[in-house]
Structures are given as structure tokens and as C-alpha cells.
Amino acid sequence: MHPPPDGLPTYRILTGVDDAAFCKRVSEAIALGYKLYGSPSATFNGHSVIVAQAIIWPAIESSIAQS
């Protein structure tokens, strides 16, 4: 499989305020070919809910330890 486009890394963690813009960023990464990795995470910073989602490029899937 080819590498991620535009020199993007094979493993990324997307973070941001839990809003439509964050969901769009995750959706765009999936459309590029990334896969979700693990469960999303959320915290509250006193003002907003902040979320995080790890994503991986499918080419590295076989090198990830399974629990």
C-alpha cells in the first residue's frame, strides 16, 4: 500500500473541541484512507469538552501489538 498523502505520518492523534469541525477532521482522515485506532477519549477543560482520536495508516496495522 502507498504511504499517506502529503507526507502525513502513519500514526496520528487528532485533538480538539468536541464540535462539528473536529468530526469533519476525523471524517476527512478516514476519507484519505486512515483507520480509527482505539477508542476516542474526552475530557473537560473547564470551558469545553476536548476530544482525541488516534488514527493509523493501514500499512502499519500489522505492526501494532494486539491486546
Side-chain angles (χ1 to χ4, degrees):
M1 176 172 240
H2 61 288
D6 303 324
L8 292 169
T10 55
Y11 175 86
R12 299 169 60 193
I13 296 180
L14 303 178
T15 62
V17 174
D18 185 15
D19 61 8
F22 177 80
C23 294
K24 183 177 179 184
R25 287 176 54 217
V26 173
S27 296
E28 288 171 347
I30 292 169
L32 283 174
Y34 282 92
K35 290 185 169 187
L36 300 178
Y37 181 68
S39 299
S41 183
T43 191
F44 183 68
N45 69 1
H47 302 285
S48 304
V49 174
I50 306 299
V51 291
Q53 176 64 60
I55 57 175
I56 60 168
W57 194 250
I60 69 165
E61 208 165 9
S62 64
S63 64
I64 295 172
Q66 300 297 316
S67 55

